[in-house]
Amino acid sequence: MDALKKVHNGKMNLKIACSQEWKEARLSTGLTDKEILPFDWTFTTDYQGTLVGDWLIEDCKEEIDYERLKQKDKILFFNELTLFEDELHDNGIAQLSVKVRVMEWGFFVLLRFFLRIDNVLIRAFDTRIFHEFDKDFVIREINAREAKVCDLKDPSVSIKPQAEVVPLIPLIESKIEKLRVKPTPD
């Protein structure tokens, strides 16, 4: 619910690739100019997860240790969950999903909002959370990516799986934060 609360309600300038043809085919109905309650039909959210309790959040330069994550350590727990998904009336996909992986030494979480409007736009909002159990902080990396399909070097990339597409989308915003639980007064 917290992720859906962050979906913008208001007029949007995004249209599906065949919107003009659809409008022309329905001119005689009188419905094409009818005003409807504006909403974000892409369900775009920049949700970064819900923090429970008191946390100190500071910008940092320390990065997630991706080399350690690439090691073939025993995975104690893994789960992937789709929080919400919509096929945008067969014109793409909007999906918010989370993957959790726990090893003996720490955990890694990937929360991803992925949007593909066929032949129009690709957008991804990733929040990665990384913690090593021997440290007193959590690293949160937030990346926003977006591109018009026509601006991609290879527009056919948009039909590939998310994991292959996202690294090819230009990065438009990025930040890394260190999160620590606020100490309780004695």
Side-chain angles (χ1 to χ4, degrees):
M1 290 305 295
D2 290 347
L4 289 171
K5 288 176 186 174
K6 294 189 65 103
V7 173
H8 175 70
N9 284 321
K11 194 165 179 114
M12 293 184 52
N13 291 328
L14 278 176
K15 295 181 179 172
I16 61 172
C18 62
S19 65
Q20 189 59 35
E21 292 86 350
W22 180 90
K23 189 174 182 177
E24 290 170 3
R26 287 157 182 80
L27 281 175
S28 63
T29 67
L31 298 173
T32 58
D33 294 322
K34 185 177 178 183
E35 230 5 83
I36 60 168
L37 183 63
F39 71 100
D40 183 350
W41 55 273
T42 69
F43 301 98
T44 295
T45 180
D46 62 358
Y47 179 63
Q48 301 170 15
T50 302
L51 296 175
V52 177
D54 285 335
W55 290 81
L56 297 170
I57 302 171
E58 58 190 55
D59 291 337
C60 78
K61 300 210 184 301
E62 189 165 344
E63 296 182 358
I64 291 173
D65 188 348
Y66 288 106
E67 292 306 312
R68 187 158 193 191
L69 286 170
K70 289 177 188 176
Q71 294 174 3
K72 301 288 184 197
D73 294 329
K74 181 179 178 184
I75 296 174
L76 304 175
F77 176 79
F78 174 82
N79 202 358
E80 181 175 359
L81 179 66
T82 299
L83 300 175
F84 68 77
E85 182 172 7
D86 189 285
E87 292 181 356
L88 308 176
H89 297 324
D90 291 332
N91 290 291
I93 189 168
Q95 181 186 67
L96 181 66
S97 62
V98 63
K99 293 180 183 181
V100 179
R101 183 172 83 181
V102 180
M103 290 70 61
E104 290 180 358
W105 53 266
F107 66 82
F108 179 72
V109 177
L110 171 60
L111 174 69
R112 171 173 286 160
F113 172 77
F114 181 79
L115 172 70
R116 185 190 74 244
I117 303 172
D118 293 340
N119 302 314
V120 177
L121 180 83
I122 301 176
R123 179 182 290 158
F125 190 86
D126 288 350
T127 300
R128 291 175 174 84
I129 298 170
F130 177 75
H131 176 62
E132 295 172 281
F133 295 138
D134 62 345
K135 296 191 176 167
D136 69 343
F137 60 89
V138 174
I139 295 176
R140 178 167 65 179
E141 177 186 282
I142 301 159
N143 293 315
R145 299 173 176 275
E146 182 174 300
K148 292 179 181 175
V149 172
C150 63
D151 292 341
L152 294 172
K153 291 179 184 173
D154 178 8
S156 70
V157 75
S158 68
I159 61 172
K160 293 182 179 180
Q162 284 182 29
E164 293 177 35
V165 174
V166 170
L168 303 174
I169 306 170
L171 187 66
I172 57 173
E173 186 179 347
S174 182
K175 70 178 175 176
I176 300 174
E177 299 172 325
K178 189 178 284 189
L179 286 68
R180 295 180 201 269
V181 176
K182 281 186 182 177
T184 55
D186 293 333

